[in-house]
Amino acid sequence: MKKHVIAVITGDIVDSRSLSSVHYDELLKQLKNELKSFEASDKAIFDIYRGDSFQITFFCPWEALKAAILIRLRLKSNNYKIDVRQSIAIGNVKDLREDVKTSTGQAFVLSGQHLDEIKSHRLVFSSENKLLNRHIPIVVKLLDNHLSSLTSMQAEALYLYLLDCSQTHAELANKLDKSRANTTKILNSSEYLLVADSIQYFEALVREELNHD
């Protein structure tokens, strides 16, 4: 894969001003912790600016969709009825700086541009790669509609599952403090296998296409 091909997620929290200062601080802490978990693997760098906006750059572009979904599920699992808008873009980078938001390149342009264009949607994808731009947006659009419909409990269960798909339902039930049967019901209603399959499709297609550019 060409080292200068990256993925960028630009996002912001929707209706964050409706939160009390205590809840806002708690939500921002959760967002920072989530972004730091990606940075810890040395495969991403991030920046938070204007209070509730953020940008994260992935050196392994195929990891971007799962990260965007985890961020969204983490915030939706609260009871504040808060969501997040995110624009994923894959493309070239000209100048990657430690201060992410000042970096330049097509990936940054596309990500920021399409975030500004988001209206009713919460998750969008774009790329300068024609094949990816033809096949990925519809998958992301369907995922977006599904994620928007999730309850906070469904979001939390799906989040925990995606962190480690090898977990049994019994192990997840312990983390959720639910019965195994109830946990399975929640996971099924969240379409956890379909979401996981969609992430795998994205990862496989991006890996294959970029490795052959």
Side-chain angles (χ1 to χ4, degrees):
M1 191 195 80
K2 294 181 179 179
K3 292 183 179 180
H4 60 277
V5 178
I6 61 170
V8 175
I9 299 175
T10 306
D12 57 30
I13 300 172
V14 179
D15 294 332
S16 61
R17 293 180 182 179
S18 66
L19 295 170
S20 67
S21 59
V22 173
H23 289 164
Y24 175 79
D25 289 343
E26 182 181 336
L27 198 69
L28 197 60
K29 181 179 179 180
Q30 291 173 347
L31 174 62
K32 286 182 178 178
N33 288 339
E34 200 63 35
L35 296 177
K36 285 179 180 178
S37 71
F38 305 130
E39 190 177 60
S41 64
D42 292 328
K43 294 181 180 180
I45 53 177
F46 77 91
D47 199 1
I48 296 178
Y49 55 99
R50 286 192 326 219
D52 61 357
S53 299
F54 61 91
Q55 194 165 65
I56 180 165
T57 300
F58 290 88
F59 307 122
C60 298
W62 47 85
E63 297 183 355
L65 179 61
K66 182 175 182 179
I69 291 174
L70 286 173
I71 291 169
R72 190 172 182 193
L73 291 174
R74 184 69 183 91
L75 298 185
K76 279 181 67 68
S77 65
N78 291 291
N79 293 314
Y80 309 144
K81 298 187 183 301
I82 289 295
D83 208 339
V84 60
R85 303 187 311 159
Q86 296 178 92
S87 172
I88 307 170
I90 291 179
N92 290 318
V93 58
K94 292 181 180 178
D95 185 9
L96 185 58
R97 304 176 183 179
E98 186 174 344
D99 183 11
V100 180
K101 64 180 182 294
T102 63
S103 298
T104 59
Q106 192 64 18
F108 292 97
V109 172
L110 287 173
S111 182
Q113 175 184 322
H114 286 93
L115 180 71
D116 291 338
E117 295 173 354
I118 290 179
K119 294 182 180 179
S120 59
H121 299 298
R122 293 291 179 261
L123 184 62
V124 295
F125 174 87
S126 58
S127 176
E128 57 187 353
N129 181 290
K130 292 181 180 179
L131 184 141
L132 297 181
N133 217 29
R134 184 164 66 247
H135 293 286
I136 298 298
I138 185 62
V139 175
V140 170
K141 185 177 291 187
L142 291 170
L143 277 172
D144 178 38
N145 288 338
H146 173 62
L147 295 175
S148 294
S149 71
L150 297 179
T151 65
S152 59
M153 179 52 65
Q154 289 171 328
E156 183 179 3
L158 183 55
Y159 172 82
L160 291 174
Y161 171 76
L162 292 177
L163 284 178
D164 179 6
C165 296
S166 67
Q167 297 174 93
T168 65
H169 287 195
E171 290 171 329
L172 287 169
N174 287 333
K175 294 178 180 179
L176 293 168
D177 195 23
K178 302 284 183 181
S179 68
R180 185 190 179 284
N182 196 17
T183 297
T184 297
K185 182 178 179 181
I186 294 170
L187 285 170
N188 286 338
S189 65
S190 75
E191 297 286 358
Y192 72 110
L193 293 178
L194 185 60
V195 174
D197 286 346
S198 298
I199 292 172
Q200 289 178 3
Y201 171 77
F202 176 91
E203 292 176 348
L205 188 61
V206 172
R207 279 178 179 271
E208 180 179 359
E209 180 63 12
L210 296 188
N211 280 329
H212 285 81
D213 270 355

